[in-house]
Amino acid sequence: MRRPLADASRRSLAGASRRRPLALVAALAALLAAALLLTGCGGRATTHHKPGTSHEEATGSAGTLLSARDEGGHRLRELPAAQAPAVRVETRPDTEGGWNIHLTVERFRFTPDSTGGAALPGRGHARLLVDGREAGRLYGAWGYVPAGTRTLTVRLHADDHTAWAVAGAPVQATVRLDAAATPPATPPPPPAPKPAPTPTGRAVDITVSGSTVAPPPSRIELKKGERLTLRVTSDRADTLHVHGYDRELPLSPGTPATLTVTVDRTGLFEVETHGSGLLLTQLVVR
């Protein structure tokens, strides 16, 4: 009767011996799994906050968390100006209405894969405020705003949704889209300055060669008060004379000479050369 009990005891001890390695393996596997969870499976460490902890209280420690909040209730995260990001906005009218917007950022990059994590310097996303109300986010440089928008503000936020700030003010850029929708018209060129008023007048060219006058002497019809300019070129030294007006003009060989006279007397007046006695033209003033 004792032998069966001994056999059962030996079987029980053998089963226990076989279960110990299995339990040990399971314990080691559990420890390995816990280690992998703590290290993020070899990837980047998680920055997501604990349940029940606000975004603003996440593990990021960049800058100084202020008590002030923006319109959307996000707390401001202060950075020195030299370290803070910056943003500029360009707008282009879309052919189907609205505006395409392009952001240029400095000391900043968009990190959509870590949104909701810790506030790390130079990382995050942008929020769009249309006419003072939050209308969406941007996780890249390009975006779109529908027609009817008047004012667009682009504000930079950290991954934990706090708003980056400098000197207590959010880092942002604001544009007026009603003005940006239509490129400003090119202003018309300033009107050309008007020339100073001059009396109406006419000019006559005369050439004297020997005893020949070109064009042949004729009458020039003028109105009282009109200006007449005589341009005379002679092949010899002489003197031009306008009778009735007592105006004279020395003539040098081959050099054009100019005489301008305002005819303020009515009548018939001859223009001739003194030396050669040639009639150059006649002035008829009415």
Side-chain angles (χ1 to χ4, degrees), residues 66-85:
L66 306 181
S67 59
R69 298 176 182 266
D70 66 7
E71 301 92 330
H74 307 98
R75 293 181 66 180
L76 306 187
R77 188 175 292 276
E78 179 89 17
L79 283 176
Q83 301 174 16

Side-chain angles (χ1 to χ4, degrees), residues 42-130:
R44 64 177 179 84
T46 181
T47 58
H48 291 276
H49 54 78
K50 299 176 182 179
T53 303
S54 69
H55 288 303
E56 292 81 5
E57 295 169 340
T59 56
S61 59
T64 302
L65 193 61
L66 306 181
S67 59
R69 298 176 182 266
D70 66 7
E71 301 92 330
H74 307 98
R75 293 181 66 180
L76 306 187
R77 188 175 292 276
E78 179 89 17
L79 283 176
Q83 301 174 16
V87 60
R88 297 192 304 275
V89 184
E90 295 176 289
T91 60
R92 302 178 185 176
D94 189 273
T95 55
E96 295 186 350
W99 295 269
N100 296 309
I101 64 173
H102 180 250
L103 309 185
T104 301
V105 294
E106 298 177 10
R107 298 178 294 278
F108 187 82
R109 64 188 178 94
F110 294 97
T111 52
D113 58 329
S114 59
T115 300
L120 301 179
R123 298 171 54 164
H125 56 274
R127 290 178 183 258
L128 304 182
L129 284 78
V130 173

